[in-house]
Amino acid sequence: MVLLVDSPRAPRASRPGRPGVAVLVVAAALLLGACGSGGTTTIATPDATGFTPKAGSVPASAPGDTAAPAPGSSVPGTVTTLGKPTLTDASTISTVGLDKVHFGMTVAEAEQAAGSKLVADGGKTGSCYLAKPESGPDGVAFLISDGRIERVDISAGPIATRSGAKVGSTNAQIKTTYPGQVQDAARPDGQPGGALVYVPKDATDAQFRLVFLTDGTAVQSYRAGRVPQVLAATGCK
């Protein structure tokens, strides 16, 4: 620091009762000491910002703060929005799924695609069960195995395949719709009638099937999905 001895106001700096240079030096030292300390400062994010931390990424709380949620639990303030339901009577079945809900999706992914929660039909037991959309057309059930969508069953309603096959279609109509690609088989559930199994020609669809369950004359229900679940009586092991 340079002392201006030729300044006529210099002597006044040492008068009692007025802040001196020493006070400023001490304040500066305290400030520098605080900046150089190893302590950390937790800055809370205001709710108005809309920021929502991901589950499991919330830092440990400081004393007096609200405790961080346990791993896997929901974060306070998090709202899951599924949007508008996408499944309607006009939805169509393909070898890969029902509209935007595709086989192989997780339950969360399928719910986002459907715009609806999937509710276990008759209660969830184990890792394999049927679930129906909470919002959507009647007669639709998804088979979930080990947390993923494996097949979709259509038992009623107007929902058809992309080629127009649906409940009520005759055996002859199914075979005409898919010429040379339909195999006759016994019903896997042991009921009278038969099963018409559509086998895709495309190698990329080799693990997918459409299975039409008939009373011997017309389709009573049908399903699409991945092998082996789509060919099994219940789909669950």
Side-chain angles (χ1 to χ4, degrees):
M1 178 172 58
V2 178
L3 181 63
L4 301 178
V5 295
D6 58 341
S7 171
R9 300 180 61 86
R12 298 177 56 136
S14 60
R15 291 180 183 179
R18 297 181 63 86
V21 174
V23 175
L24 298 176
V25 172
V26 171
L30 291 174
L31 179 61
L32 292 174
C35 294
S37 67
T40 59
T41 302
T42 301
I43 301 176
T45 303
D47 293 337
T49 64
F51 173 80
T52 302
K54 294 181 179 179
S57 66
V58 179
S61 58
D65 290 347
T66 301
S73 64
S74 60
V75 178
T78 299
V79 178
T80 301
T81 302
L82 296 178
K84 183 179 179 180
T86 63
L87 301 179
T88 68
D89 286 347
S91 295
T92 56
I93 294 281
S94 69
T95 53
V96 297
L98 173 60
D99 277 354
K100 297 180 180 180
V101 182
H102 296 167
F103 306 125
M105 281 184 169
T106 64
V107 173
E109 291 169 341
E111 290 179 333
Q112 286 291 334
S116 171
K117 297 291 292 182
L118 298 182
V119 181
D121 185 21
K124 178 181 176 182
T125 56
S127 62
C128 187
Y129 57 97
L130 287 172
K132 295 181 178 180
E134 190 172 58
S135 300
D138 293 331
V140 176
F142 293 98
L143 184 134
I144 299 169
S145 180
D146 296 327
R148 293 191 178 273
I149 307 299
E150 291 295 341
R151 86 182 194 198
V152 59
D153 291 32
I154 307 298
S155 59
I159 290 180
T161 69
R162 289 183 179 178
S163 298
K166 59 185 179 180
V167 173
S169 295
T170 65
N171 289 22
Q173 287 174 328
I174 297 297
K175 292 182 178 180
T176 299
T177 301
Y178 307 105
Q181 292 182 265
V182 175
Q183 298 176 350
D184 286 288
R187 286 182 60 135
D189 58 8
Q191 296 299 311
L196 301 176
V197 182
Y198 165 75
V199 181
K201 291 181 179 179
D202 194 331
T204 59
D205 291 335
Q207 295 303 309
F208 301 91
R209 297 287 189 276
L210 285 171
V211 179
F212 300 91
L213 302 181
T214 79
D215 59 4
T217 303
V219 176
Q220 293 181 310
S221 65
Y222 70 99
R223 58 188 182 235
R226 300 199 292 188
V227 175
Q229 286 87 348
V230 68
L231 298 175
T234 63
C236 295
K237 301 174 181 178

